[in-house]
Amino acid sequence: MERGKMAEAESLETAAEHERILREIESTDTACIGPTLRSVYDGEEHGRFMEKLETRIRNHDREIEKMCNFHYQGFVDSITELLKVRGEAQKLKNQVTDTNRKLQHEGKELVIAMEELKQCRLQQRNISATVDKLMLCLPVLEMYSKLRDQMKTKRHYPALKTLEHLEHTYLPQVSHYRFCKVMVDNIPKLREEIKDVSMSDLKDFLESIRKHSDKIGETAMKQAQQQRNLDNIVLQQPRIGSKRKSKKDAYIIFDTEIESTSPKSEQDSGILDVEDEEDDEEVPGAQDLVDFSPVYRCLHIYSVLGARETFENYYRKQRRKQARLVLQPPSNMHETLDGYRKYFNQIVGFFVVEDHILHTTQGLVNRAYIDELWEMALSKTIAALRTHSVCKKPKGSCYLELIIYIDFLILFQVYGFPVNQLFDMLLEIRDQYSETLLKKWAGIFRNILDSDNYSPIPVTSEEMYKKVVGQFPFQDIELEKQPFPKKFPFSEFVPKVYNQIKEFIYACLKFSEDLHLSSTEVDDMIRKSTNLLLTRTLSNSLQNVIKRKNIGLTELVQIIINTTHLEKSCKYLEEFITNITNVLPETVHTTKLYGTTTFKDARHAAEEEIYTNLNQKIDQFLQLADYDWMTGDLGNKASDYLVDLIAFLRSTFAVFTHLPGKVAQTACMSACKHLATSLMQLLLEAEVRQLTLGALQQFNLDVRECEQFARSGPVPGFQEDTLQLAFIDLRQLLDLFIQWDWSTYLADYGQPNCKYLRVNPVTALTLLEKMKDTSRKNNMFAQFRKNERDKQKLIDTVAKQLRGLISSHHS
């Protein structure tokens, strides 16, 4: 039973499923019925489904038949009407065909015209499209043509700008054309070409300014010279400072603006042709000589291309190399002033260009770079000046060298460079120039002193007298009253030396005017230089003349007279310096002239030389002395040599009338003392082993001649018998021996008022020994004569007593 129920249930489910499939087949599109039928065949009841399907088909056929039977009459009516409509439709078709044939025949020409219009409209549309495309391409082609023209005319920076517009604005609009692709491919090559050409122009510019830096510097130096003459403010500064000025103040040479879009010149050499200006015309500025456009163009080109740092490094590296070349002085620079000037001009030209680049570009060079180059320039320039300065040689070009250096210094001060080291070097050059002046005047003084006749200047007319007085400040009322002809007391070298000292002062003044010193500093410098001239140069010249071997007493006397008058003129030199410097001598720290000391020293040296010369002359006469120390004859006149000596002394002291009294007296006293000392030495010298009383008598006559000379007063001013005291030692010694007054000598020896106070017992014993030996040898029979024996015993006794005096004196 249960199985039957189960079968019945399954049969119901199958029937329901078949019903659903049938409904789905009825309601589903035939294209999608495949899956439904597959589900039937997948099952096991497809037979029953087929039965079910046949039953459903039969049911639908019955319904269709019913439907047709119900509408049959209407169908027949419709067929009848349709047949009628077919006839009418055939008529209408014939009419339409006829109308179409007529229309085709009539519209054939219109169709042809329409076809032509269509072609025309198509061509018009194509032409319009072509024009539009050409309008897009023409600006590209024009820009490219402009680019080529700019490159051909070396307008590289505008060409680069054109290239940028072409690449970013115009080419993207027509990028699908082949010619545009060719242009795009050429753009990197064009950039490199512009870059290379601009760098080539820069190299030409650098090479050109290296060659023409001296011309640039010469122009700048002329402007510095103009400023040196016109800038009163700078002239009043006591020292050139290193404080930097503002750009507006310092940057006076270059003031042009950058015109980067158009070249200043078709030439990229960097140097423009400028004709030489006359001296009275305005000096052209350095910007008139240099075309900086290659630098500006190359800088902007590299900046646009993103390679500015590469350009800056290259430029600085090349300029450093050029700086080293410029700062290397030629080996023969000191031989000519032009070489010295060219060296300075090259340095100035280099820094003028760099300063212009500094102020007209942003960052190509900076202050640190300029300062680095300046420090290098300072060290090398100062070293070159110390090595090659023409001031080290006594040439006239030294002053011009100094002026060039001052213009050099002022120029760099104007540009704001620290110039302390240059100013210190200026002081060194000043010292070198001072030494050059001193050497020059040393030669002048030497020539004056060598050519002088050392004789008083004779004048025969009032005109000659005034001429000499006009050259040298001299006043003498007594000389003025004397009639012509008359003589000045000094020789010609006095006014010549005085005038040369003034010329030296003028040279120092001219030299100091360009040193930018105050009047007080100028006065101090002139006074110090003049002191060097007097105390060193003139003093050495005078000393050399005084120490010459062939100098005579007359010349020495004249030198003393000349230096006395030059010493008196020192106050006039002081006034002269005061007048030209306008600095009163009462000003604090004013240097005094040391001329009086110079002339006093020269006079003292001349006096000493006179004393020495006189003594040498006396010695020469004494060498002529020819005494016969063994003679027994008594002479009655002085020796010839001594008579000549006294005559020489008289004539010599007669020349001393113009000497200061003390000098003449000292010279006379010195000569007499030397003569007395020499005579004493002559009497006591070891070579004279024996002498007789007769020889002493002759010697006594010579001494008396000397005493007579002393009493005659060869030089005024001596007190009575003062000059005779020079011979007192000889006189007392000779009186002792000639008068044989030993008893008085021995008795009074040691007393302050004794008669023979100046006779030394040693001297007396020496002379006595010479006489004792003579008595023994010349008298072979003396022992047989009572008088001779007594005399010999007396000599022995006196000698013994003298030895006792000597021994007691020593003890």
Side-chain angles (χ1 to χ4, degrees):
M1 178 180 268
E2 290 179 0
R3 290 181 179 178
K5 290 181 180 181
M6 291 178 62
E8 184 179 358
E10 291 178 359
S11 177
L12 290 175
E13 289 178 3
T14 302
E17 179 66 22
H18 289 171
E19 186 66 25
R20 184 186 64 77
I21 291 172
L22 289 173
R23 285 196 306 270
E24 187 172 349
I25 291 172
E26 290 175 349
S27 60
T28 303
D29 190 3
T30 56
C32 299
I33 201 171
T36 304
L37 293 178
R38 179 177 295 277
S39 63
V40 173
Y41 283 99
D42 288 341
E44 296 178 356
E45 299 295 334
H46 57 278
R48 297 176 66 181
F49 176 74
M50 293 301 296
E51 293 176 0
K52 191 77 173 176
L53 180 60
E54 289 292 335
T55 302
R56 179 63 59 91
I57 292 173
R58 286 192 299 272
N59 289 334
H60 282 295
D61 287 337
R62 284 192 297 271
E63 289 179 0
I64 291 171
E65 185 177 357
K66 288 179 180 181
M67 182 66 69
C68 289
N69 291 329
F70 181 75
H71 294 287
Y72 179 75
Q73 186 62 41
F75 176 73
V76 172
D77 294 338
S78 296
I79 293 298
T80 302
E81 290 179 0
L82 186 60
L83 291 173
K84 292 178 180 181
V85 170
R86 186 175 67 179
E88 294 296 330
Q90 186 65 38
K91 292 179 181 179
L92 181 60
K93 178 180 178 182
N94 293 333
Q95 291 177 355
V96 170
T97 302
D98 184 59
T99 301
N100 182 55
R101 186 177 63 256
K102 292 179 180 179
L103 181 63
Q104 292 294 331
H105 178 73
E106 295 294 334
K108 185 176 182 179
E109 294 181 0
L110 180 61
V111 170
I112 294 172
M114 289 299 296
E115 188 66 27
E116 292 177 354
L117 178 62
K118 177 182 175 182
Q119 291 295 328
C120 184
R121 290 287 178 89
L122 180 61
Q123 291 177 356
Q124 185 179 10
R125 186 169 60 252
N126 291 339
I127 290 173
S128 178
T130 303
V131 169
D132 292 340
K133 297 300 180 181
L134 287 176
M135 292 301 294
L136 288 176
C137 294
L138 280 177
V140 176
L141 297 174
E142 289 175 355
M143 291 294 288
Y144 191 80
S145 177
K146 180 181 178 181
L147 172 64
R148 302 306 301 183
D149 291 340
Q150 288 172 337
M151 293 186 65
K152 184 178 180 180
T153 57
K154 296 185 178 182
R155 300 174 61 191
H156 304 117
Y157 181 68
L160 190 61
K161 288 292 186 182
T162 303
L163 187 63
E164 293 294 322
H165 288 298
L166 183 65
E167 181 182 17
H168 297 100
T169 304
Y170 294 97
L171 286 178
Q173 300 177 6
V174 290
S175 58
H176 53 282
Y177 295 109
R178 284 187 298 169
F179 77 91
C180 294
K181 294 181 180 180
V182 174
M183 289 184 183
V184 171
D185 294 338
N186 284 335
I187 285 177
K189 298 178 182 179
L190 291 174
R191 281 203 178 96
E192 287 300 319
E193 182 180 352
I194 293 174
K195 188 176 179 182
D196 294 341
V197 172
S198 63
M199 179 57 71
S200 176
D201 292 344
L202 177 69
K203 291 178 180 179
D204 294 340
F205 169 81
L206 293 175
E207 179 64 20
S208 182
I209 61 173
R210 185 188 69 81
K211 293 179 179 178
H212 296 85
S213 59
D214 57 336
K215 180 66 175 178
I216 302 169
E218 180 182 357
T219 301
M221 291 284 272
K222 287 181 180 178
Q223 292 180 329
Q225 185 177 8
Q226 290 179 348
Q227 181 173 351
R228 177 168 59 85
N229 296 330
L230 300 176
D231 195 348
N232 294 325
I233 297 176
V234 175
L235 287 175
Q236 293 174 358
Q237 292 180 352
R239 177 180 175 87
I240 299 175
S242 62
K243 183 177 180 181
R244 297 186 184 277
K245 296 188 176 183
S246 65
K247 176 181 176 181
K248 182 179 179 181
D249 296 332
Y251 191 64
I252 62 171
I253 294 182
F254 301 116
D255 55 0
T256 56
E257 296 180 354
I258 305 173
E259 297 180 2
S260 58
T261 58
S262 61
K264 295 183 179 181
S265 170
E266 295 302 321
Q267 300 176 357
D268 286 336
S269 64
I271 304 297
L272 303 178
D273 293 332
V274 179
E275 296 182 356
D276 294 336
E277 302 289 340
E278 298 295 333
D279 293 339
D280 56 348
E281 295 181 358
E282 183 179 358
V283 178
Q287 74 277 10
D288 298 325
L289 299 176
V290 182
D291 176 19
F292 289 94
S293 58
V295 181
Y296 303 144
R297 287 196 297 267
C298 198
L299 173 62
H300 294 314
I301 288 170
Y302 271 74
S303 298
V304 172
L305 296 176
R308 180 186 177 98
E309 184 177 357
T310 301
F311 174 75
E312 290 177 359
N313 293 335
Y314 176 82
Y315 178 84
R316 295 183 186 184
K317 180 180 179 181
Q318 294 302 315
R319 290 297 278 167
R320 282 192 182 95
K321 291 181 179 179
Q322 291 185 358
R324 293 187 181 94
L325 292 176
V326 167
L327 294 171
Q328 183 65 34
S331 58
N332 60 345
M333 181 181 73
H334 61 283
E335 295 179 359
T336 62
L337 192 63
D338 288 337
Y340 189 78
R341 181 185 288 109
K342 183 176 181 180
Y343 176 67
F344 274 128
N345 287 345
Q346 287 179 342
I347 298 175
V348 171
F350 178 87
F351 280 98
V352 162
V353 171
E354 290 307 291
D355 187 80
H356 183 68
I357 295 296
L358 174 67
H359 289 92
T360 56
T361 61
Q362 296 181 350
L364 178 56
V365 296
N366 52 31
R367 179 54 66 180
Y369 161 80
I370 297 293
D371 289 344
E372 176 189 348
L373 293 180
W374 178 242
E375 288 298 325
M376 180 176 66
L378 277 179
S379 60
K380 291 186 176 294
T381 302
I382 291 174
L385 286 175
R386 287 178 176 149
T387 305
H388 299 284
S389 176
V390 300
C391 277
K392 292 186 176 181
K393 296 184 178 181
K395 296 180 180 179
S397 58
C398 180
Y399 176 74
L400 297 176
E401 173 189 343
L402 183 69
I403 298 304
I404 295 171
Y405 182 78
I406 291 172
D407 291 340
F408 177 76
L409 191 152
I410 292 176
L411 179 69
F412 282 108
Q413 182 205 12
V414 169
Y415 276 86
F417 290 95
V419 292
N420 277 344
Q421 295 184 50
L422 290 179
F423 185 82
D424 294 338
M425 189 62 203
L426 174 62
L427 298 182
E428 291 186 26
I429 296 178
R430 181 192 69 181
D431 294 340
Q432 292 177 9
Y433 181 67
S434 299
E435 288 297 323
T436 301
L437 289 180
L438 291 175
K439 289 179 181 178
K440 177 181 177 182
W441 258 262
I444 293 174
F445 288 145
R446 184 171 56 252
N447 293 334
I448 291 174
L449 296 176
D450 290 344
S451 62
D452 194 62
N453 58 9
Y454 295 96
S455 299
I457 302 175
V459 289
T460 57
S461 64
E462 185 70 23
E463 183 180 355
M464 294 178 63
Y465 184 87
K466 290 182 178 179
K467 181 180 179 181
V468 175
V469 174
Q471 294 176 346
F472 180 74
F474 175 77
Q475 291 180 349
D476 190 338
I477 297 176
E478 294 183 359
L479 183 62
E480 292 177 0
K481 292 179 180 179
Q482 293 178 12
F484 291 101
K486 52 188 175 183
K487 295 182 179 180
F488 285 95
F490 47 80
S491 66
E492 290 184 355
F493 98 60
V494 171
K496 289 182 178 179
V497 167
Y498 181 79
N499 285 324
Q500 285 302 322
I501 294 174
K502 291 174 66 176
E503 289 296 326
F504 178 84
I505 294 172
Y506 274 127
C508 291
L509 177 65
K510 180 182 178 182
F511 165 72
S512 63
E513 286 176 349
D514 296 295
L515 293 183
H516 300 208
L517 303 176
S518 65
S519 56
T520 305
E521 290 175 318
V522 170
D523 180 84
D524 183 69
M525 194 198 82
I526 291 177
R527 289 177 181 272
K528 288 181 178 179
S529 298
T530 306
N531 277 332
L532 283 176
L533 179 75
L534 295 174
T535 59
R536 191 175 73 185
T537 306
L538 181 57
S539 177
N540 290 341
S541 298
L542 290 171
Q543 293 291 339
N544 292 335
V545 172
I546 292 170
K547 298 298 182 182
R548 281 193 308 208
K549 292 183 179 180
N550 58 347
I551 190 76
L553 288 173
T554 305
E555 288 86 350
L556 291 171
V557 170
Q558 192 62 54
I559 288 174
I560 292 175
I561 297 171
N562 290 350
T563 53
T564 302
H565 287 283
L566 285 173
E567 179 183 350
K568 293 178 182 178
S569 69
C570 285
K571 62 179 181 179
Y572 299 104
L573 291 176
E574 290 263 12
E575 294 175 0
F576 177 71
I577 294 175
T578 300
N579 291 334
I580 64 175
T581 61
N582 295 321
V583 177
L584 299 177
E586 294 81 10
T587 306
V588 181
H589 304 308
T590 299
T591 305
K592 303 298 181 183
L593 290 185
Y594 301 140
T596 54
T597 304
T598 298
F599 298 124
K600 282 181 180 179
D601 292 343
R603 188 164 61 252
H604 292 160
E607 292 171 4
E608 292 295 330
E609 197 66 25
I610 285 177
Y611 305 152
T612 303
N613 199 316
L614 271 176
N615 293 341
Q616 291 175 352
K617 288 291 184 182
I618 291 172
D619 292 339
Q620 292 174 6
F621 278 100
L622 289 175
Q623 289 176 2
L624 300 176
D626 187 18
Y627 287 103
D628 183 5
W629 298 110
M630 302 302 296
T631 184
D633 298 333
L634 298 178
N636 56 5
K637 64 176 183 177
S639 301
D640 292 338
Y641 86 91
L642 193 67
V643 173
D644 294 340
L645 173 57
I646 297 302
F648 165 76
L649 291 177
R650 288 184 187 279
S651 63
T652 299
F653 291 133
V655 181
F656 288 9
T657 53
H658 292 291
L659 283 177
K662 185 178 180 181
V663 176
Q665 293 169 12
T666 304
C668 187
M669 178 60 77
S670 173
C672 290
K673 285 183 177 180
H674 183 72
L675 177 58
T677 303
S678 299
L679 288 173
M680 180 69 78
Q681 292 175 353
L682 187 64
L683 185 64
L684 299 177
E685 63 183 3
E687 293 180 359
V688 181
R689 299 180 181 276
Q690 309 168 30
L691 57 84
T692 62
L693 187 59
L696 278 181
Q697 290 288 355
Q698 181 60 47
F699 197 81
N700 184 51
L701 289 175
D702 292 345
V703 173
R704 286 185 183 279
E705 186 70 20
C706 295
E707 291 174 333
Q708 178 62 33
F709 167 74
R711 282 193 299 270
S712 66
V715 173
F718 282 110
Q719 295 181 359
E720 186 177 358
D721 298 336
T722 300
L723 199 55
Q724 287 180 265
L725 293 176
F727 302 97
I728 189 64
D729 292 0
L730 274 173
R731 172 49 49 208
Q732 290 185 8
L733 179 63
L734 291 174
D735 286 349
L736 175 62
F737 276 84
I738 292 173
Q739 296 176 12
W740 209 252
D741 195 8
W742 293 106
S743 59
T744 303
Y745 176 75
L746 294 172
D748 296 341
Y749 180 78
Q751 297 180 8
N753 296 324
C754 66
K755 183 178 179 180
Y756 303 102
L757 179 64
R758 308 289 297 183
V759 178
N760 190 300
V762 176
T763 304
L765 179 60
T766 302
L767 190 58
L768 188 61
E769 291 289 345
K770 295 177 185 286
M771 294 185 69
K772 185 170 77 170
D773 292 341
T774 304
S775 299
R776 288 177 179 175
K777 292 181 179 179
N778 289 346
N779 273 320
M780 52 186 306
F781 300 103
Q783 65 272 20
F784 302 108
R785 298 177 185 175
K786 185 176 183 300
N787 292 337
E788 293 296 334
R789 288 198 305 272
D790 293 341
K791 184 177 179 181
Q792 194 64 43
K793 289 181 180 179
L794 179 58
I795 291 174
D796 293 338
T797 302
V798 172
K800 184 177 180 180
Q801 291 177 336
L802 288 173
R803 290 188 184 94
L805 288 175
I806 294 171
S807 299
S808 62
H809 178 70
H810 286 299
S811 63

